[in-house]
Amino acid sequence: MEKTFFIIKPDGVKRGLVGQVLQRIEQRGFQLEKLELRPAPSSELVDQHYEALVDKAFYPLIRDFMTSGPIVVGVISGPQVISCWRKMMGATRPEEALPGTIRGDFAQAPQGDETIQNIVHGSDSPESAAREIALWFGEK
Ligand code: DAT
Ligand code: MG
């Protein structure tokens, strides 16, 4: 069965949205394979996770945000779970995320110079899912 990796980012945990995010996963019928509350991740781990973005001008703000507090990490499985979870998350930019999606229902567009805080992460392909599961859960 297809698997994907997800994160409830520091904003989601701080705002008390863990239960509502997990409820949507269960409601949709996906199977929870792994689920852990983790202390704020190290910069090194976040840099590896976002290896495709580390050279972008905005990346330092992402790193600061992602290391700012505890996160929930997990693996879920189900038919087409990678693309389906991406649809459930909604667009990257909160102002573009449709109502009914997690980001569209809970995330606000950045104000001032803060970075995008959009509650959740989900792998974007089978290759990233495998890489991210190995990175966060140490499966070789
Ligand atoms: P997604 O999280 O929808 O997969 P992504 O992988 O392109 O989006 O980027 C990872 C995170 O980085 C994203 O959730 C928010 C932030 N981000 C992406 N593009 C950005 C940009 N142009 N400016 C600021 N932050 C950005
Ligand atoms: Mg991404």
Side-chain angles (χ1 to χ4, degrees):
M1 189 62 76
E2 187 170 296
K3 289 183 187 180
T4 198
F5 171 74
F6 74 93
I7 302 177
I8 305 177
K9 298 182 182 184
D11 57 330
V13 174
K14 278 193 189 102
R15 291 177 54 197
L17 299 173
V18 172
Q20 293 188 78
V21 172
L22 297 179
Q23 182 175 29
R24 288 176 183 226
I25 290 171
E26 294 189 309
Q27 201 166 269
R28 191 67 190 232
F30 292 131
Q31 187 76 30
L32 278 168
E33 303 283 349
K34 292 182 185 294
L35 183 66
E36 281 184 33
L37 177 67
R38 299 262 179 99
S42 67
S43 301
E44 290 72 24
L45 182 53
V46 170
D47 289 357
Q48 284 180 274
H49 174 74
Y50 280 132
E51 63 176 12
L53 299 180
V54 289
D55 295 328
K56 306 272 187 195
F58 61 79
Y59 181 72
L61 288 175
I62 303 284
R63 179 201 284 128
D64 289 348
F65 164 55
M66 290 299 293
T67 57
S68 69
I71 58 173
V72 170
V73 291
V75 176
I76 51 178
S77 64
Q80 273 96 58
V81 68
I82 296 173
S83 66
C84 188
W85 174 243
R86 298 279 308 177
K87 286 178 198 142
M88 290 166 68
M89 294 197 306
T92 302
R93 296 179 168 279
E95 64 273 28
E96 291 168 10
L98 296 177
T101 65
I102 293 167
R103 289 164 169 176
D105 288 348
F106 299 116
Q108 276 193 307
Q111 297 177 329
D113 58 2
E114 68 188 16
T115 191
I116 295 173
Q117 301 193 5
N118 55 14
I119 322 278
V120 280
H121 165 80
S123 311
D124 60 12
S125 68
E127 295 70 29
S128 351
R131 188 186 73 82
E132 292 168 9
I133 292 168
L135 178 65
W136 290 88
F137 287 102
E139 291 179 1
K140 297 290 177 275

